[in-house]
Amino acid sequence: MAARGDPPEGTPEGTPGGGDDEYRSVVFDESFVRAARLQEFSAKERMGDHSHAVRRRDPAEKPGAGSPTPRRGSLQVLLLVLVIAVAFGTAVYVGVRPPYRPAVTRSAEPLRMTVIPLAPAGVVPGDDPERLLRQSPAAKFPTGASGIPLPLARRTPHFTENEVMTALTTAKDYLVASSVDPDVLTGAERRSVRALLDPQQRAQFDASFADPADDGRHAPAGWLVRFDPAKVALADSAVHVRGTLRFAESTPGTIDVMSDHTFVYALRPVGRSLGETGKKDASLFTVRRTLHFRFDRDDLPGHRAELLTSQVQAGPQACSVEAASTLTPLLAGARAKPAGPAGTDPYATGPPSAGLCGVLDSGAQPGG
């Protein structure tokens, strides 16, 4: 009788040790079966037009699955590529960022201003605008924004060339909006000037027009040039300008722009056209503005500026004029009592030298 586990026919002849000894150490466990490269088709699959009873199976395919699953090695490679891409992008971002970016959080200072009226020594000359300009020191001044050229921008230790150019451009835009724009000059609007200020200074700007005062903080002329539309009109819309812009880095987080410009306006009385009464009714009004702008890293992208100081000399004006929301020029044929013996020339360069009121130098007047 055959032993348990022997074939029914018995042990094949010629097989030493009964044939089982040679393979007794081989165990066909579950992992061995799953690793098999060949798999027998199921009964349902054999009903098809298959020419073979078995199929070759992907090593990663689970038994019984209808289709192979993605290789684990491919997923790992994909994750590795993503990690490398993120690391490379981070390195590039850090590498292209400008260095030395100190975080600076500070409050804008209130504007400190000095407004000096310049009284004429005699009668204010009157004529047609072109003749007045030909006879004045402003004869060769450029007009409008062309009279405010930008200096060559260059990088500073903590600001790029583009950031310096942004600061200079914003300062120029403020000068044009506050000194050249006809709508601002005639009192039609002032929002364009306000929008260029640091938001922390806008309350002081609004208070200066709501309640003007000669306190060094709330004089409207410290912010912009504006005439009373009920009394004064522009005899010529062209504003003649000459001056300079300079810049310097004040701290690692701020850059300063200093401006010094002289603006010349041709004015006439409201309600009277030139020559209507047989006289030439235009006169020139000169304003010298010396402004100190400061920009931090929040101001630059916002295209706005903090105005630190504003020094203004304007004439011909009377020294006795009370604080008002507009300048009060003396027009053709008017005169005012001089405030002192010395004359002040708004066309001169260097630090302003007049006190609370100055005398308009005769050389600053047409024909002087």
Side-chain angles (χ1 to χ4, degrees), residues 63-261:
S67 59
T69 60
R71 296 175 181 269
R72 180 175 299 178
S74 300
L75 181 59
Q76 292 176 343
V77 170
L78 178 60
L79 291 175
L80 179 61
V81 171
L82 289 175
V83 170
I84 293 174
V86 171
F88 180 76
T90 302
V92 170
Y93 174 74
V94 173
V96 299
R97 290 184 65 196
Y100 316 117
R101 293 284 185 174
V104 177
T105 302
R106 63 182 189 86
S107 299
E109 300 177 14
L111 170 61
R112 304 184 304 275
M113 59 184 71
T114 303
V115 181
I116 303 170
L118 303 179
V123 177
V124 177
D127 210 328
D128 67 81
E130 293 182 1
R131 183 174 299 178
L132 288 171
L133 287 166
R134 285 198 304 267
Q135 297 174 354
S136 78
K140 296 183 179 180
F141 282 16
T143 58
S146 61
I148 311 175
L150 296 176
L152 179 65
R154 62 182 184 278
R155 67 174 298 119
T156 66
H158 300 95
F159 288 87
T160 67
E161 180 180 327
N162 287 338
E163 289 173 329
V164 172
M165 178 57 70
T166 299
L168 290 169
T169 301
T170 304
K172 176 176 179 176
D173 290 346
Y174 185 91
L175 289 169
V176 171
S178 62
S179 310
V180 177
D181 186 346
D183 289 336
V184 173
L185 298 178
T186 57
E189 69 99 16
R190 57 177 182 268
R191 289 174 298 177
S192 59
V193 179
R194 186 180 186 274
L196 292 169
L197 289 171
D198 187 295
Q200 296 183 41
Q201 288 191 317
R202 293 173 183 171
Q204 183 187 3
F205 178 88
D206 295 338
S208 298
F209 291 89
D211 188 16
D214 291 327
D215 58 358
R217 290 288 189 272
H218 300 95
W223 302 99
L224 52 81
V225 178
R226 186 187 191 197
F227 305 111
D228 186 348
K231 299 178 180 179
V232 180
L234 297 176
D236 188 349
S237 60
V239 178
H240 294 256
V241 189
R242 185 177 69 182
T244 59
L245 283 171
R246 297 179 293 108
F247 68 91
E249 183 179 309
S250 53
T251 70
T254 58
I255 185 168
D256 292 6
V257 175
M258 285 66 68
S259 69
D260 188 351
H261 293 81

Side-chain angles (χ1 to χ4, degrees), residues 12-96:
E13 294 182 3
T15 302
D20 281 343
D21 293 339
E22 182 179 357
Y23 303 102
R24 193 172 300 277
S25 60
V26 178
V27 179
F28 296 99
D29 57 6
E30 184 178 356
S31 62
F32 179 87
V33 174
R34 289 186 177 183
R37 303 288 294 180
L38 299 178
Q39 180 183 21
E40 182 179 3
F41 284 101
S42 64
K44 183 177 181 179
E45 289 174 329
R46 287 197 298 269
M47 293 177 63
D49 298 331
H50 296 287
S51 58
H52 301 284
V54 295
R55 64 179 177 183
R56 183 173 294 275
R57 188 175 65 183
D58 192 298
E61 183 182 351
K62 294 181 179 180
S67 59
T69 60
R71 296 175 181 269
R72 180 175 299 178
S74 300
L75 181 59
Q76 292 176 343
V77 170
L78 178 60
L79 291 175
L80 179 61
V81 171
L82 289 175
V83 170
I84 293 174
V86 171
F88 180 76
T90 302
V92 170
Y93 174 74
V94 173
V96 299

